[in-house]
């Protein structure tokens, strides 16, 4: 298909910088997720790649050719809009065939390619229906088919699952990944959902205020965020303030509100003893135990939230204002119950406070 390269890509609106010196290389057939909250610059980046917004600075290379000055309809880039943007007065066939008609292909070829792409997205037999006669998931597949039928070099997905219910969202994650890998098309997906990003993408880019905060594999981003901001965005629930001490073998002590936690020496590499630090840990990695030991602290349950597969607890009186373990057990935990909380050292991320 194609490679995509962004070099120093910048977009300003007056004095406001929406995207600030973005650099990215997407390999042929790779899926990359732009992840971040509202206003972080991810959609503006997508619009510049598509040609709907002109960069203030920088270049957009598709297979080595700078397309920044080329109009959108000449870039051969497929776009999936968040609201699907289907034509309500057209059938499924007519919606999908629209781009092919603009390319002035002959009717037999249009019919063949539309049939092939409808089969790929599992919509065979629905070609004569109108969008109003389709479910939300089917409408989404039509929009995806329309973006793919022109055989674009690059596929851009703008919040493709945001309008679907939870069950259908999971099903479509599987389908989008299947189709993308089957076609081998280079894809950029914009999302604010970290679970969606790590489920779909080969690499994840976390953005904030127009800048890239971290680029890495889903596992790297999910397990080892590079900063407290990224950790918070990726669902780390407990943040503990402390002061780090000198190395003790392969670990280092952190004094937190007069209590002691140990972290791996490698996790705190380059941080001077006596520095204030923030420790971050995911809920599912915090354990309730029966016996005291290293990194085990007493606390009191102050809130219980049942979530089906897990129960989220809020525990006070430990090393932070609130420690939030998530337990996979059916035993009912009671408010005010005294518990022992264990925070495994290997599961703690360490960040030097700036």
């Amino acid at each position: 298909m194609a490679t995509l390269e962004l070099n120093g890509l910048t977009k300003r609106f007056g004095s406001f910088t929406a995207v600030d010196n973005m650099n990215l290389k997407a390999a042929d057939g790779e899926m990359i997720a732009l992840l971040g909250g509202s206003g972080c610059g991810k959609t503006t980046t997508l619009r510049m790649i598509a040609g709907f917004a002109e960069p203030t600075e920088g270049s957009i290379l598709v297979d080595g050719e700078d397309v920044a000055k080329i109009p959108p309809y000449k870039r051969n880039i497929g776009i999936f809009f968040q609201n699907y943007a289907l034509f309500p007065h057209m059938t499924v066939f007519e919606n999908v065939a629209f781009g092919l008609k603009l390319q002035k292909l002959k009717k037999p070829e249009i019919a063949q390619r539309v049939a092939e792409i409808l089969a790929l997205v599992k919509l065979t037999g629905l070609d004569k229906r109108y969008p109003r006669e389709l479910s939300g998931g089917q409408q989404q597949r039509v929009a995806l088919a329309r973006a793919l039928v022109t055989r674009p070099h690059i596929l851009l997905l703008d919040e493709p699952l945001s309008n679907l219910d939870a069950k259908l969202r999971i099903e479509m994650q599987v389908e989008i990944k299947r189709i993308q890998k089957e076609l081998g098309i280079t894809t950029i997906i914009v999302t604010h959902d970290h679970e969606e990003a790590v489920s779909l993408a080969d690499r994840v880019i976390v953005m904030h205020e127009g800048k890239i905060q971290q680029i890495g594999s889903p596992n790297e981003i999910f397990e080892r965020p590079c900063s407290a901001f990224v950790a918070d965005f990726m669902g780390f629930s407990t943040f503990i303030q402390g002061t780090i001490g000198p190395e003790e073998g392969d670990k280092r002590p952190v004094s937190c509100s007069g209590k002691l936690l140990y972290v791996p020496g490698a996790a705190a590499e380059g941080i001077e003893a006596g520095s204030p630090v923030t420790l971050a840990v995911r809920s599912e990695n915090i354990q309730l135990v029966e016996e005291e030991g290293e990194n085990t602290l007493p606390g009191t349950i102050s809130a219980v939230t049942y979530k089906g597969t897990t129960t989220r607890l809020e525990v006070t009186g430990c090393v932070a204002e609130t420690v939030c373990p998530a337990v996979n057990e059916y035993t009912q935990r009671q408010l005010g119950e005294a518990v022992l909380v264990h925070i495994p050292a290997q599961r703690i991320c360490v960040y030097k406070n700036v």
Side-chain angles (χ1 to χ4, degrees):
M1 289 294 177
T3 60
L4 174 67
E5 186 172 345
L6 310 180
N7 294 315
L9 195 64
T10 299
K11 181 62 178 179
R12 299 189 187 94
F13 297 95
S15 60
F16 173 70
T17 302
V19 178
D20 190 0
N21 191 33
M22 186 172 185
N23 295 284
L24 169 66
K25 290 183 179 180
D28 188 0
E30 185 178 22
M31 181 184 282
I32 292 178
L34 301 183
L35 174 65
S38 299
C40 73
K42 59 187 187 297
T43 297
T44 301
T45 301
L46 206 73
R47 287 175 56 80
M48 287 190 285
I49 297 171
F52 299 145
E54 184 176 348
T56 306
E57 298 172 9
S59 60
I60 302 168
L61 305 181
V62 177
D63 277 344
E65 178 187 1
D66 192 352
V67 300
K69 300 296 183 180
I70 296 177
Y73 64 91
K74 291 186 177 181
R75 295 191 185 190
N76 195 21
I77 291 177
I79 306 165
F80 181 106
F81 296 99
Q82 182 176 353
N83 62 357
Y84 309 151
L86 299 177
F87 299 112
H89 63 287
M90 292 184 181
T91 63
V92 168
F93 180 94
E94 291 167 337
N95 266 283
V96 176
F98 185 78
L100 299 178
K101 290 179 179 179
L102 292 179
Q103 293 178 348
K104 299 183 179 180
L105 299 184
K106 294 181 180 180
K107 287 185 178 180
E109 184 176 358
I110 290 176
Q112 179 183 347
R113 286 172 62 169
V114 171
E116 289 174 353
I117 203 68
L118 289 181
L120 183 67
V121 299
K122 300 181 179 180
L123 288 177
T124 299
L126 301 183
D127 53 306
K128 295 181 180 179
R129 292 192 185 182
Y130 289 89
R132 64 180 178 274
E133 299 173 321
L134 303 173
S135 67
Q138 290 170 334
Q139 290 181 30
Q140 186 192 54
R141 291 169 190 261
V142 174
L144 185 59
R146 186 178 60 184
L148 292 170
V149 75
T150 57
R151 298 174 182 172
H153 291 149
I154 307 288
L155 176 64
L156 305 179
L157 304 174
D158 183 13
E159 300 277 7
L161 307 177
S162 61
N163 294 327
L164 303 179
D165 60 50
K167 182 175 182 294
L168 191 54
R169 185 179 295 124
I170 294 173
E171 292 176 2
M172 286 308 302
Q173 284 178 8
V174 175
E175 285 301 300
I176 287 174
K177 193 165 188 175
R178 175 186 66 82
I179 293 167
Q180 190 267 337
K181 292 303 179 186
E182 187 170 329
L183 296 177
I185 186 170
T186 307
T187 302
I188 307 295
I189 178 172
V190 159
T191 180
H192 63 275
D193 186 327
H194 69 267
E195 291 186 3
E196 184 176 301
V198 299
S199 297
L200 287 170
D202 300 306
R203 281 192 296 158
V204 178
I205 296 176
V206 181
M207 297 183 65
H208 179 58
E209 295 182 345
K211 296 182 179 181
I212 293 176
Q213 302 296 309
Q214 186 174 357
I215 302 177
S217 69
N219 182 266
E220 289 169 343
I221 298 288
F222 194 78
E223 296 290 346
R224 291 293 164 185
C226 69
S227 68
F229 168 81
V230 177
D232 186 34
F233 197 84
M234 294 305 295
F236 280 66
S237 64
T238 296
F239 293 86
I240 304 166
Q241 302 300 318
T243 302
I244 195 163
E247 291 187 10
E248 297 181 7
D250 60 353
K251 56 189 177 182
R252 298 180 68 176
V254 180
S255 176
C256 313
S257 302
K259 298 175 182 177
L260 203 61
L261 286 176
Y262 285 93
V263 299
E269 187 175 357
I271 301 178
E272 304 86 355
S275 298
V277 294
T278 297
L279 309 182
V281 62
R282 302 187 67 85
S283 291
E284 60 268 27
N285 294 328
I286 303 174
Q287 305 163 353
L288 297 187
V289 295
E290 299 298 327
E291 297 180 1
E292 295 184 359
E294 186 176 280
N295 283 20
T296 299
L297 303 156
T300 303
I301 295 177
S302 58
V304 178
T305 305
Y306 178 67
K307 291 181 171 291
T309 56
T310 62
T311 299
R312 182 183 187 273
L313 307 177
E314 293 184 15
V315 179
T316 56
C318 290
V319 286
E321 182 176 346
T322 305
V323 175
C324 302
V327 295
N328 297 294
E329 57 185 46
Y330 294 101
T331 303
Q332 181 65 43
R333 295 287 177 169
Q334 303 296 326
L335 292 177
E337 181 181 349
V339 292
L340 288 174
V341 175
H342 176 62
I343 305 177
Q346 296 296 328
R347 295 295 189 174
I348 300 175
C349 294
V350 185
Y351 307 106
K352 182 177 179 180
N353 293 351
V354 178

